[in-house]
Amino acid sequence: MGWKRATGLAATALGGVAAYDLTQRRHAILRNFPVIGHFRYWAEKVGPELRQYIVTSNDEERPFSRDQRRWVYASAKLENNYFGFGTDNDVEQAAGYPIIKHRTFMGEGAQTAPHGDEGVSLPSAKVLGGPRGRRHAFRPRSVVNISGMSFGSLSGPAIEALNRGAARAGCLQNTGEGALSPHHRHGGEIVFQIGTSYFGCRDEDGNFDLARLKEVVASAPVRALEIKLSQGAKPGLGGMLPGEKVSREIAEIRGIPVGQDCASPSRHTVFHDVDSMLDFVELLAEETGLPVGIKAAVGNLEFWDQLVDQMADRTRGVDFVNIDGGEGGTGAAPMIFADSVAYPFRIGFSEVYRRFAQAGLTDEVTFIGAGKLGLAENALVAFALGADMVNVGREAMMSIGCIQAQKCHTDHCPVGVATQKARYTRGLDVGLKHERAANYIVSLRRDLLKVAEAVGVPHPAFITPDDIDILDGQRTAVSLGELYGYEPGWAALPPELAGPLIEEMRA
């Protein structure tokens, strides 16, 4: 009888835990996997001790280490995101390790706001579309924005949480190539991405439709247009949405069959070279009034040479250039493309920026970077290299619950972020997760500002290649500018941009 009573009590307790897990909204993993989901949190809690003696270090996992994920999670939840007992990075042996050089005294215009002042805005140093006189040119309110992730690749609740989070944090959300869905229409301002399949702006035959694009732009707070040439996850391959993720809703939005693989062409059909691409850019800008730019991973550099040459006379040109690192991203991709096609961000970005700098065009173009730049140290290197803004993708996913399960391509994401299965998406509570997305964006901006203050400047845009050294273990240190072949003064803000930005910060 004692055993029966104990078994009954245990079953009742487990039933109570299961009932609680199924109805609570804070943790998607518990909502989708009641009872057994607690083992993940237990393993996470004792993980440092286990890894210290048995498994891996805090910095060994990839693509994001345990420490990096912990910082994103804690920032999103407004928990303590500080670290104790010094760095556990292998500074003594690591090659390519960035060191930011703080200053003893503050520079002109630098602020010393208290650490609690975390809601401060960090606007872009440049007016997007301003140099080319676009009718709807504007200064982005945030240097940190949400990268292109399509509805389809991500679930509806995930897209909605990111959009609401973008509205709350005052940043932009890029639609990705999968069109502007109802989940993007919850207050967040939009960058509409035009991919090679022209989803959302195509006719019944799949051809680009300008009238349809103008309808979409008029129906939502679209602030800019981005022509996607390639992306870091699969450069030169075109988008790929596995058939398992093509639900009826996605099929209707994109105009494709339900349940079939959706493979976008690797190249555009509406233009075929740099000359015709610039004609297309100017057509879009004239018809919509919006700033128009391009997104690309960097491979063969002839394209960039030709682009700079044709922009040199300043009659036509892109308003922004978004460089995506070849480190891979949120999309499904063959391993060879994720691993070995296109340059990593730092090399790719510096190659492009150097070409614009040599032509004297850098002040007329807004430079955006992506590729693991949602971590403060990586973002600061990007700013020092000349980036004006950074886009965050996988880090934004983690802020709304992603646990790096790496099942994005299977439609079995256990936390409902990168899946279309209701079995999993029910666990993602938009009301909670959008707050976490906003918290993460604000926390990253706070850290960027605090480091800028340590360097003695009022904004990350003032950090130059001379402010960061790259270590080769404890043997040598070389400045970022010297490493990537920058000339003195490159990536520094000219007075005509610095003055208005300082006034924006003071306001």
Side-chain angles (χ1 to χ4, degrees):
M1 291 297 293
W3 281 107
K4 290 182 179 179
R5 188 167 183 271
T7 302
L9 288 173
T12 301
L14 287 175
V17 172
Y20 171 79
D21 290 345
L22 288 168
T23 55
Q24 60 83 37
R25 294 180 177 274
R26 292 186 60 81
H27 302 290
I29 199 75
L30 297 181
R31 194 168 167 85
N32 290 336
F33 298 94
V35 182
I36 61 174
H38 287 278
F39 287 99
R40 175 189 180 270
Y41 294 101
W42 175 82
E44 184 178 50
K45 185 175 182 180
V46 301
E49 291 79 8
L50 289 175
R51 290 193 303 277
Q52 185 177 3
Y53 298 105
I54 302 173
V55 195
T56 60
S57 73
N58 287 333
D59 296 298
E60 201 168 335
E61 298 174 82
R62 293 291 182 270
F64 291 87
S65 71
R66 171 69 61 173
D67 275 351
Q68 291 168 340
R69 299 201 310 275
R70 177 189 148 199
W71 179 83
V72 173
Y73 296 147
S75 299
K77 298 175 184 177
L78 292 184
E79 295 175 352
N80 185 345
N81 61 3
Y82 284 29
F83 287 73
F85 212 63
T87 182
D88 58 5
N89 293 339
D90 188 8
V91 182
E92 296 83 0
Q93 302 298 325
Y97 194 88
I99 293 295
I100 301 161
K101 298 183 289 187
H102 70 285
R103 287 187 172 87
T104 302
F105 301 109
M106 303 299 286
E108 183 180 357
Q111 301 178 28
T112 55
H115 282 273
D117 189 13
E118 297 178 354
V120 65
S121 175
L122 274 182
S124 171
K126 295 174 181 173
V127 175
L128 194 61
R132 298 204 57 78
R134 308 306 189 194
R135 295 194 304 277
H136 300 306
F138 71 105
R139 185 188 297 274
R141 294 180 292 163
S142 175
V143 297
V144 180
N145 298 287
I146 297 173
S147 193
M149 296 178 285
S150 301
F151 171 52
S153 177
L154 268 57
S155 68
I159 293 292
E160 181 179 344
L162 293 173
N163 188 258
R164 291 183 184 274
R168 189 182 182 101
C171 72
L172 301 166
Q173 181 189 23
N174 191 302
T175 62
E177 71 168 310
L180 202 157
S181 72
H183 309 287
H184 289 99
R185 300 173 182 271
H186 294 278
E189 294 185 332
I190 293 295
V191 175
F192 183 85
Q193 187 181 94
I194 302 172
T196 55
S197 284
Y198 308 112
F199 296 128
C201 55
R202 64 191 235 160
D203 60 22
E204 294 180 355
D205 298 320
N207 300 311
F208 174 74
D209 187 334
L210 179 60
R212 177 65 182 132
L213 174 66
K214 293 170 71 172
E215 290 176 6
V216 172
V217 166
S219 71
V222 177
R223 303 302 306 273
L225 302 175
E226 179 180 88
I227 303 168
K228 190 183 84 167
L229 305 178
S230 58
Q231 65 183 95
K234 39 188 172 291
L237 186 62
M240 175 64 186
L241 184 64
E244 293 88 346
K245 301 179 76 170
V246 182
S247 66
R248 184 170 301 280
E249 182 183 15
I250 292 168
E252 291 176 354
I253 291 172
R254 295 194 180 196
I256 58 177
V258 176
Q260 293 186 20
D261 288 351
C262 177
S264 296
S266 59
R267 292 168 178 83
H268 283 264
T269 57
V270 75
F271 54 83
H272 60 277
D273 58 12
V274 171
D275 184 53
S276 55
M277 184 193 78
L278 289 177
D279 284 342
F280 185 59
V281 167
E282 295 299 331
L283 171 67
L284 297 182
E286 176 62 29
E287 291 291 332
T288 66
L290 297 174
V292 182
I294 56 174
K295 172 183 178 176
V298 180
N300 188 297
L301 294 167
E302 291 179 7
F303 165 80
W304 300 102
D305 291 328
Q306 295 170 11
L307 177 61
V308 169
D309 286 344
Q310 297 208 29
M311 286 182 58
D313 64 4
R314 292 172 170 80
T315 58
R316 298 176 302 167
V318 296
D319 297 298
F320 64 91
V321 172
N322 182 0
I323 299 299
D324 202 7
E327 294 89 339
T330 58
M335 185 169 66
I336 180 63
F337 280 84
D339 288 349
S340 300
V341 181
Y343 286 115
F345 171 77
R346 293 182 189 177
I347 295 177
F349 184 91
S350 60
E351 288 285 353
V352 172
Y353 188 89
R354 189 164 64 244
R355 284 162 168 77
F356 278 86
Q358 289 168 342
L361 293 171
T362 54
D363 295 342
E364 301 171 30
V365 177
T366 293
F367 289 91
I368 305 171
K372 294 184 72 172
L373 302 187
L375 305 168
E377 62 270 28
N378 292 343
L380 287 159
V381 170
F383 283 114
L385 286 172
D388 300 296
M389 299 191 292
V390 296
N391 282 351
V392 296
R394 287 171 288 181
E395 301 91 336
M397 290 169 62
M398 285 190 280
S399 76
I400 61 171
C402 168
I403 60 173
Q404 195 171 275
Q406 296 180 287
K407 295 182 179 294
C408 312
H409 59 296
T410 67
D411 204 29
H412 290 282
C413 170
V415 292
V417 174
T419 178
Q420 303 305 317
K421 291 186 180 295
R423 160 80 174 84
Y424 303 116
T425 59
R426 67 177 297 278
L428 198 156
D429 183 73
V430 173
L432 174 67
K433 299 301 186 181
H434 89 274
E435 294 179 356
R436 292 186 176 177
N439 293 340
Y440 159 69
I441 298 290
V442 171
S443 295
L444 177 56
R445 291 196 306 231
R446 174 206 65 194
D447 279 10
L448 294 176
L449 180 61
K450 291 303 172 186
V451 175
E453 291 176 0
V455 175
V457 296
H459 187 285
F462 288 88
I463 294 177
T464 73
D466 293 331
D467 293 318
I468 297 180
D469 280 354
I470 302 298
L471 303 187
D472 181 8
Q474 292 190 346
R475 293 173 289 278
T476 59
V478 60
S479 75
L480 201 63
E482 182 181 351
L483 180 63
Y484 292 111
Y486 278 35
E487 294 181 7
W490 285 5
L493 284 182
E496 58 269 23
L497 293 177
L501 180 59
I502 290 175
E503 291 304 316
E504 285 277 340
M505 293 298 294
R506 286 175 178 167

